[in-house]
Structures are given as C-alpha cells and as structure tokens.
C-alpha cells in the first residue's frame, strides 16, 4: 500500500470517528465555549473530569465531587436551539445525537456551592477541566454500556435467585414445622380419644359393678 492510500484511509477514519480532547482552567460560574461542526444524526459522547485547586499543595488535586458542571449544547444554525442542557456532577458523561447538520456550540460552566464560596472555601475558586469528546461511530461506548447493563442484570438475577432459594428454604421449613405440628396434633387427639374411650369403659364397668352390687345388696335385704 502506497503512502497516498494510507493517507486516504487515515483521513476517512478521522472523518467517521474522531476524538476531541481538551483541558481548560476555569473558575466558578465562568463559562467556556467552543464550536464544532456535526453531521446530522451523529452520536456524540462526552466524558469529563473536574479537578479543584488545592492551595495547601499548590496543585490541582483529586477529581472534585463538590462542583457540578452545567452543560449546554446549542445549534447555532437553528436560532441557538438547545440540544443538551444538563447539570451533572464534576466527573461524568453526557450523550446526545445531533438533530441537524451544522455548527454546534458547546459550553461548560462550573457551579459550586455558593454558601461555601461566600464562606471563603479556597478549594472551589479554581478548577482544571478535562474533556474527551467522541464524535461519530461510538460502538465501543455503546458496547461497553450494553456489557455494563448485562453485567448489572446478571448480578440482579443472581441476587433474585438467592432470595428465591432463601424463600424456598423458608417455605420448606414452614411446611416441615406445619407437618410436625399436624402430626403432633393428630397424636395428641388420638391419645385424647383413647383416654376418653378408656374413661367411658371405666365408667361403664363401674356402673355395671354398682348395679350388680346394689342388686345383690337389695336381694340380701329382701327388698327385691
């Protein structure tokens, strides 16, 4: 393959799928915008991280969770029609599909806690913002999302199966206890019936004995 063909293939790859990466230094409530031409029905995936400036270390430390990023994407060719308007945590991602072909305006604004800003929290005064924007075919992204969803559902199914097995064991335990209770009740009832019959027989025998005794007694006394 000659050099010209390689350049054509590389250019086609960049056209159909490319990544725009940038990082900026920005303050709270300060907007930074850039423009990008997008074809119609193009999938755009943005992943970003925000780092707060640490005065003690004089450096931008770990990714901040104390700030939200307001994201706005508008179509400049259609009277600044808003395609995306979201407020997300400082570390996150957003996804959208372009509705029309033309220039799009991307704006990002950090929103920090105003009470903490008024209290003089130095960790919310300056931020370093990183953005990776995948434009075009995002099969890897969608496939990873599908994989994450499948893994999540598999975990949920495992948990449900464990709960079902636990419920089944509990039901079997209840059935065993009911069976044991029923057998005990039947045994007790049988003993009660036997004891009742035995008592009735004793009473009958006592009655017969008393009748015979009284009959003999009265005969001796010549009453009968």
């Amino acid at each position: 393959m000659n050099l010209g063909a390689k350049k054509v293939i590389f250019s086609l790859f960049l056209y159909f799928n490319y990544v725009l990466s940038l990082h900026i230094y920005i303050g709270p409530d300060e907007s930074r915008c850039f423009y990008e031409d997008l074809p119609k029905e193009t999938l755009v995936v943005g992943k970003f991280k925000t780092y707060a400036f640490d005065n003690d270390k004089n450096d931008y430390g770990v990714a901040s969770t104390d700030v939200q990023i307001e994201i706005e994407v508008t179509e400049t060719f259609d009277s600044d029609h808003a395609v995306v308007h979201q407020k997300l945590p400082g570390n996150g991602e957003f996804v959208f599909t372009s509705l029309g072909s033309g220039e799009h305006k991307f704006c990002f604004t950090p929103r920090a806690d105003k009470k903490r800003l008024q209290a003089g929290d130095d960790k919310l005064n300056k931020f370093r913002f990183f953005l990776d924007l995948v434009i075009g075919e995002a099969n890897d992204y969608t496939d990873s999302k599908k994989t994450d969803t499948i893994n999540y559902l598999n975990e949920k199914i495992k948990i449900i199966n464990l709960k079902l097995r636990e419920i089944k064991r509990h039901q079997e335990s209840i059935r065993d206890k009911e069976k044991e209770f029923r057998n005990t009740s039947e045994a007790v009832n049988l003993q009660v019936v036997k004891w009742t019959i035995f008592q009735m027989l004793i009473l009958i025998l006592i009655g017969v004995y008393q009748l015979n005794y009284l009959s003999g007694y009265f005969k001796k006394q010549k009453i009968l």
Side-chain angles (χ1 to χ4, degrees), residues 94-112:
F94 63 95
V95 182
F96 73 93
T97 301
S98 58
L99 303 177
S101 178
E103 186 181 65
H104 288 67
K105 182 181 180 181
F106 293 76
C107 291
F108 301 89
T109 308
R111 301 294 187 189

Side-chain angles (χ1 to χ4, degrees), residues 19 21 31 68 77 94-95 109 114 126 142 145 156 166 185:
V19 178
S21 297
S31 297
Q68 289 187 318
F77 58 88
F94 63 95
V95 182
T109 308
K114 294 187 180 298
K126 290 186 291 184
T142 54
K145 282 293 183 183
K156 286 294 184 182
E166 184 66 26
S185 298

Side-chain angles (χ1 to χ4, degrees), residues 4-206:
K6 289 182 179 180
K7 287 183 178 180
V8 171
I9 293 173
F10 182 69
S11 299
L12 289 173
F13 173 78
L14 290 179
Y15 177 77
F16 287 110
N17 188 355
Y18 64 95
V19 178
L20 174 66
S21 297
L22 59 88
H23 83 272
I24 54 177
Y25 296 92
I26 190 171
D29 300 326
E30 181 182 350
S31 297
R32 293 293 178 87
C33 303
F34 65 90
Y35 298 84
E36 188 70 26
D37 283 324
L38 298 176
K40 184 179 180 180
E41 296 181 353
T42 299
L43 181 64
V44 179
V45 181
K47 297 184 179 183
F48 57 89
K49 285 189 177 182
T50 310
Y51 295 83
F53 186 77
D54 191 336
N55 286 326
D56 296 332
K57 297 180 180 179
N58 196 30
D59 193 10
Y60 291 89
V62 297
S64 176
T65 57
D66 298 324
V67 63
Q68 289 187 318
I69 301 298
E70 185 175 316
I71 303 167
E72 187 172 19
V73 181
T74 57
E75 298 173 332
T76 59
F77 58 88
D78 189 13
S79 303
D80 289 330
H81 171 257
V83 180
V84 177
H85 189 91
Q86 293 178 285
K87 187 180 288 186
L88 300 173
N91 306 304
E93 62 184 32
F94 63 95
V95 182
F96 73 93
T97 301
S98 58
L99 303 177
S101 178
E103 186 181 65
H104 288 67
K105 182 181 180 181
F106 293 76
C107 291
F108 301 89
T109 308
R111 301 294 187 189
D113 190 336
K114 294 187 180 298
K115 292 182 179 180
R116 292 181 60 180
L117 286 174
Q118 292 172 357
D121 192 335
D122 294 335
K123 293 184 178 181
L124 298 177
N125 286 331
K126 290 186 291 184
F127 302 101
R128 190 178 185 183
F129 180 74
F130 288 85
L131 172 67
D132 288 326
L133 206 62
V134 181
I135 300 173
E137 296 293 335
N139 292 329
D140 292 340
Y141 172 80
T142 54
D143 289 344
S144 65
K145 282 293 183 183
K146 290 178 182 177
T147 302
D148 291 342
T149 302
I150 291 172
N151 291 336
Y152 173 78
L153 292 175
N154 285 335
E155 289 298 322
K156 286 294 184 182
I157 290 171
K158 288 180 182 179
I159 293 173
I160 291 172
N161 285 333
L162 288 174
K163 289 184 177 179
L164 288 175
R165 284 197 289 269
E166 184 66 26
I167 291 172
K168 186 177 180 180
R169 284 196 296 268
H170 184 64
Q171 289 177 337
E172 290 176 351
S173 175
I174 291 175
R175 282 197 295 267
D176 291 339
K177 289 181 179 179
E178 288 178 346
K179 184 178 180 180
E180 183 180 354
F181 177 76
R182 185 169 57 252
N183 292 337
T184 303
S185 298
E186 290 176 354
V188 170
N189 290 335
L190 182 60
Q191 293 297 326
V192 170
V193 171
K194 288 181 178 179
W195 178 247
T196 302
I197 294 173
F198 177 75
Q199 286 180 322
M200 290 177 64
L201 291 174
I202 294 296
L203 290 174
I204 291 171
L205 291 174
I206 292 174

